[in-house]
DNA sequence: CTGGATCCCCTATGATACTG
DNA sequence: CAGTATCATAGGGGATCCAG
């Protein structure tokens, strides 16, 4: 739970209002988010596949990041009630729209 | 000082190697960095001007973020030995190249 | 297989005080 | 004016165990 009175929270709120770029950065700056998005785009679209590609992430964190990405409407979660349960992650339109921007960033970084 | 053995550090290293996008995100995802870049681009190019625009930032943090931006070659610091001392910050070529990408991000976020 | 619950630790962020 | 030194803290990231 976040204390709304902490200067931390105050600053966060200030940033959110003053510039949407901060909102955008918030969404993609989770430690694994960009990477997860890219892998999902490359058909690593299940929990176990993502774990295989991200060997050092813990289940817990992967779950959290996926949840946040879903909350931000970047990915869509589809539960397929097989035995065992299977879950597919796919990029939403917004998620797809983000990919070229990430590519730009990557190219910029090479500058 | 960062403990190199912490899983935190291990993961950071893994991310840095596995994908340059993380490097790029590292550079711009400091809480105030994007905002500082934008303001410098808008001629808020001195310490005190930046403080005026970012009322809730503390001297300490502003200094640190500027230092990091400089280390990342996004801004250039010019010391002008007047009395009192004056310092100008300007965007480097790399910094300027980042701006359109930030604009893209901002537009994407509005989607 | 997917991921929630719980607890811990690290580090970026911040407050404050001080210097050239 | 333009920072730096020091200290404190929140909360994001992580390990581990557990559940549907």
């Amino acid at each position: 739970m976040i204390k709304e009175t902490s200067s931390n929270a105050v600053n966060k709120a200030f940033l959110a209002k003053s510039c949407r770029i901060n909102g955008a950065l918030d969404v993609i700056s989770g430690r694994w988010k960009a990477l997860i998005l890219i892998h999902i785009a490359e058909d690593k679209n299940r929990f176990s596949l993502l774990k295989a590609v991200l060997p050092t992430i813990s289940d817990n964190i992967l779950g959290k990041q996926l949840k946040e990405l879903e909350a931000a409407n970047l990915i869509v979660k589809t539960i397929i009630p097989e035995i065992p349960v299977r879950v597919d992650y796919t990029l939403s339109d917004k998620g797809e729209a983000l990919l070229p921007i990430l590519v730009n960033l990557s190219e910029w970084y090479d500058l």
Side-chain angles (χ1 to χ4, degrees), chain A residues 19-31:
Chain A
C19 188
R20 13 184 46 103
I21 289 186
N22 285 289
L25 286 179
D26 250 22
V27 167
I28 59 175
S29 71
R31 181 171 264 184

Side-chain angles (χ1 to χ4, degrees), chain A residues 32-40 50 54 62 65-66 69:
Chain A
W32 303 91
K33 300 225 186 90
L35 218 37
I36 290 175
L37 284 174
I38 290 170
H39 284 309
I40 290 180
L50 286 169
L54 308 170
L62 179 52
Q65 305 273 317
L66 286 170
L69 288 173

Side-chain angles (χ1 to χ4, degrees), chain A residues 40 45-47 50 66 75-78 87-91:
Chain A
I40 290 180
N45 53 355
R46 268 179 284 157
F47 201 93
L50 286 169
L66 286 170
I75 61 176
V76 176
K77 183 174 172 177
T78 310
V87 179
D88 269 28
Y89 293 98
T90 53
L91 293 182

Side-chain angles (χ1 to χ4, degrees), chain A residues 8 20 23-24 30 34 64 69 71-72 74 93 98 101 104:
Chain A
N8 219 332
R20 13 184 46 103
K64 254 189 214 169
L69 288 173
L74 298 189
D93 290 348
L98 181 57
I101 298 181
N104 282 344

Side-chain angles (χ1 to χ4, degrees), chain A residues 4 14 21 97:
Chain A
E4 296 301 334
F14 169 78
I21 289 186

